[in-house]
Amino acid sequence: MQKKAFGLETRETLVGLSFILPNFIGFAVFILAPVLFSFYLSVNSWDGFRPMEFVGLDNFVQIFKDRVFKRAMVNTLQFSVFTIVFTLVASLALAMMLNQKLKGIAIFRSAIFFPYVASIVAVAVVWNMLFQKDYGPINAFLRFLGMVNPPGWTASTKYALPAVIIVVIWKNMGYYMVIYLAALQGIPPELHEAAMIDGASAIDRFRHVTLPMLTPTTFFTVMMLTINSFKVFDLIYAMTEGGPGQATTLIVNYIYNQAFVSWNYGKASAASMVLFALVATVTIIQFRMEKKWVSYM
Amino acid sequence: MKEPSRSAKIGLYAALCVICPLTLLPLAWMLSSSLKLDKDVFTIPIQWIPAIPQWGNYIKIWEKIPLGVFTFNTFKLTIIITLIQLFTCSFAAYGFSKCRFKGRDALFLCYVATIAIPWQVYMLPQYTMMNKMHLVDSHMSLILLHSFSAFGVFLMRQFMVSIPNELLEAARIDGLNEYGIYARIILPLSKPALASLSIFTFVTIWNDFMGPMIYLNTTEKKTIQVGIRMFISQYSAEYGLIMAASILSLVPVFTLFIAFQRFFVEGVATSGLKG
């Protein structure tokens, strides 16, 4: 090569950057810049047309006074805790069952993964019909089981959030099941064999071999589930639009409404910042706690 | 792994034969309802196989909404975005995994960190920016929105890291430069990861609902998801047709899933395990 003008290190850097650049330009302009702009918007008052006005922390004061935002915070926490715990348990249980040498196991695995690739719109419309209060199949079944007053699901303020949580778990458990399945297959069989020779029962082996070996995966899964649970918007929007009342309004729904319904960009961005801070805090806490329970072999 | 005992096997089969159909039940109900008259959709007991299948639902739906246009738009967006992602993500992943330079890992961390940021945090600034660029209500806005995914770079990098560097050294000695190595050695070896990324992108873009909902107003530009959503709100009582439209929107993704299942599973596993 004739480019002697550059030192080897500079050249290596330039080549490296040239690979990253095509993606990075788009990434910087369409993702990084908006993230930073969001910080700026949160301390301004703007409707998208008139000039921006600096208001300091006023947007934050306003949203924390807003009853709807407080409700959205509570809903988000409830929604996250339930989806994280139940998806984790369901996906691990399914992975344990599907990690067996059985004929046709691949078909069962696909069946569980199927809902994950189904579109939100189709999923929302079919579940809404299944949950229909008076003539929906789910309540028909509950009545058949002898329940006199089955829940109103998406039509009731009390049961709308549980209904949405059920659908989210149903849709995503297959994804995490696949992650657990891969992790289970990575556990050396010798460990189980050794434990068996020592007379450990199946339950003992699950508690003292499988679970500890899975902790890195569980850590990753909990992280992903947490982050993703803060992002769920489409499904709720398509199923209930945050209602009835504010029963299923999460922080993300609040952001959407402030931004694209009320055109209150400042308040929307302040709420985004709260969401961002929430995700960051939870992530940092999880990383801090990692050493206490995750064992890497 | 040891083969389970005979009784354990039977128990497991029984459990799976309950759980798996239960998981698929909502989709089965959708399929069955799509072949019924509106008045029969909610009859109890559920008639899983309609006495007189209403295949007409699948024809009527094309007349009620411009489903052909929606499908075309969705295919167009999906294909363009997938191609751009495949190129830019694999290219960047090579830089992040096989080139050595200062600040590389810090930059990569910055990429990964944005995966954790919910889209809703920056969707509004993104929208105002697109608005300034006069791209709202155009397919271009969605292409720009989705083409530079940090997740794609992450997935490709995780795979490329596992390709032994000795291969690259040998090629360098043979006189190939970095771009040649990328094109002739790394890309062909990365086929499984490229396949995983294509499938994930395809499914994500095909199923994307929020993007088109926020950005597209003109009916002729809409994608299949927002199109069907529009139909649902206009004809909320035509259950049979709604279900038929929903089934149609699922067909491409399900076909892809069944044909390339292996890559789905591998993609999930690589992005999940080596993280």
Side-chain angles (χ1 to χ4, degrees), chain B residues 31-47:
Chain B
L31 183 64
S32 148
S33 305
S34 75
L35 296 171
K36 288 180 185 171
L37 293 170
D38 297 334
K39 66 177 175 62
D40 296 333
V41 165
F42 287 112
T43 47
I44 301 288
I46 300 171
Q47 210 179 15

Side-chain angles (χ1 to χ4, degrees), chain A residues 18-19 23 29-30 38 100 102-103 110 113-114 117 119 129 170 179 231 233 237-238 241 256 265, chain B residues 9 12-13 23 88 91 111 115 120-121 126 128-129 179 207 210 213 225 229 239 253 257 261 268:
Chain A
S18 75
F19 274 103
N23 190 281
V29 174
F30 296 106
S38 195
Q100 308 288 340
L102 285 180
K103 268 210 189 86
S110 320
F113 195 78
F114 234 46
V117 293
S119 75
M129 286 162 77
W170 169 80
I179 293 178
K231 290 186 197 178
F233 172 77
Y237 182 85
E241 298 198 16
Y256 178 84
Y265 286 12
Chain B
K9 248 186 192 173
L12 205 60
Y13 264 126
T23 308
T88 65
F91 211 56
Y111 257 82
I115 300 179
Q120 290 84 6
V121 168
Q126 222 174 24
T128 52
M129 202 167 78
Y179 306 101
N207 287 344
M210 283 309 296
M213 190 181 84
Q225 303 300 338
R229 174 76 188 173
Y239 307 116
V253 165
F257 172 65
Q261 224 187 88
V268 177

Side-chain angles (χ1 to χ4, degrees), chain A residues 89-262:
Chain A
V89 174
S91 59
L92 177 58
L94 288 167
M96 294 287 295
M97 292 174 80
L98 292 166
N99 185 33
Q100 308 288 340
K101 271 191 187 155
L102 285 180
K103 268 210 189 86
I105 200 83
I107 298 169
F108 291 121
R109 285 179 192 162
S110 320
I112 300 291
F113 195 78
F114 234 46
Y116 182 73
V117 293
S119 75
I120 301 279
V121 176
V123 163
V125 70
V126 76
W127 275 97
N128 267 348
M129 286 162 77
L130 292 172
F131 275 134
Q132 217 289 336
K133 190 169 145 249
D134 302 315
Y135 39 84
I138 290 177
N139 277 356
F141 182 67
L142 290 178
R143 274 190 213 102
F144 169 78
L145 290 183
M147 197 184 277
V148 187
N149 257 325
W153 301 113
T154 48
S156 85
T157 45
K158 199 170 159 203
Y159 287 100
L161 199 60
V164 170
I165 291 172
I166 291 172
V167 180
V168 171
I169 297 169
W170 169 80
K171 191 161 187 330
N172 294 331
M173 62 186 186
Y175 179 83
Y176 298 98
M177 179 274 290
V178 170
I179 293 178
Y180 266 126
L181 200 56
L184 282 173
Q185 286 165 351
I187 299 177
E190 298 82 44
L191 289 180
H192 280 283
E193 281 154 21
M196 267 198 305
I197 293 168
D198 290 345
S201 69
I203 295 167
D204 285 339
R205 274 182 288 131
F206 176 72
R207 280 187 52 194
H208 300 293
V209 179
T210 313
L211 276 186
M213 288 300 288
L214 285 180
T215 48
T217 311
T218 306
F219 175 69
F220 173 82
T221 311
V222 171
M223 291 278 287
M224 293 290 290
L225 272 168
T226 313
I227 292 167
N228 288 337
S229 75
F230 285 121
K231 290 186 197 178
V232 174
F233 172 77
D234 320 33
L235 189 76
I236 293 179
Y237 182 85
M239 274 183 79
T240 63
E241 298 198 16
Q246 276 96 36
T248 53
T249 301
L250 306 186
I251 299 178
V252 284
N253 299 77
Y254 183 84
I255 298 174
Y256 178 84
N257 287 337
Q258 288 299 328
F260 297 109
V261 181
S262 315

Side-chain angles (χ1 to χ4, degrees), chain B residues 21 23 32 46 55 116 126 157 169 181 189 200 242 244 253 274:
Chain B
T23 308
S32 148
I46 300 171
W55 297 106
Q126 222 174 24
R157 180 196 170 265
E169 288 305 328
I181 296 175
L189 285 175
F200 271 106
I242 289 175
V253 165
K274 295 167 201 160

Side-chain angles (χ1 to χ4, degrees), chain B residues 166-203:
Chain B
E166 290 77 27
L167 270 176
L168 281 73
E169 288 305 328
R172 279 185 197 121
I173 291 165
D174 289 344
L176 268 183
N177 63 19
E178 297 297 315
Y179 306 101
I181 296 175
Y182 161 80
R184 293 216 239 144
I185 297 178
I186 297 290
L187 267 195
L189 285 175
S190 304
K191 266 184 208 148
L194 289 169
S196 294
L197 181 59
S198 325
I199 290 165
F200 271 106
T201 315
F202 189 97
V203 173

Side-chain angles (χ1 to χ4, degrees), chain B residues 95-244:
Chain B
F96 281 126
S97 61
K98 299 296 175 193
C99 298
R100 236 159 263 155
F101 57 89
K102 243 194 205 150
R104 182 190 77 171
D105 294 334
L107 193 60
F108 184 65
L109 202 68
C110 174
Y111 257 82
V112 177
T114 59
I115 300 179
I117 302 176
W119 179 58
Q120 290 84 6
V121 168
Y122 56 93
M123 75 180 170
L124 175 63
Q126 222 174 24
Y127 179 83
T128 52
M129 202 167 78
M130 294 287 185
N131 205 2
K132 278 262 151 53
M133 295 162 118
H134 300 288
L135 290 174
V136 169
D137 202 23
S138 76
H139 286 162
M140 195 49 158
S141 61
L142 291 173
I143 294 174
L144 291 173
L145 212 65
H146 288 298
S147 288
F148 309 98
S149 107
F151 171 76
V153 176
F154 177 69
L155 182 77
M156 291 306 299
R157 180 196 170 265
Q158 296 310 85
F159 185 86
M160 285 187 191
V161 164
S162 67
I163 299 175
N165 286 328
E166 290 77 27
L167 270 176
L168 281 73
E169 288 305 328
R172 279 185 197 121
I173 291 165
D174 289 344
L176 268 183
N177 63 19
E178 297 297 315
Y179 306 101
I181 296 175
Y182 161 80
R184 293 216 239 144
I185 297 178
I186 297 290
L187 267 195
L189 285 175
S190 304
K191 266 184 208 148
L194 289 169
S196 294
L197 181 59
S198 325
I199 290 165
F200 271 106
T201 315
F202 189 97
V203 173
T204 312
I205 305 302
W206 185 273
N207 287 344
D208 184 25
F209 170 54
M210 283 309 296
M213 190 181 84
I214 293 175
Y215 282 95
L216 306 176
N217 308 318
T218 318
T219 305
E220 290 72 41
K221 288 179 186 158
K222 284 188 174 166
T223 63
I224 195 152
Q225 303 300 338
V226 277
I228 289 177
R229 174 76 188 173
M230 189 181 78
F231 176 75
I232 292 170
S233 42
Q234 277 169 8
Y235 304 91
S236 58
E238 306 214 17
Y239 307 116
L241 286 184
I242 289 175
M243 292 291 108

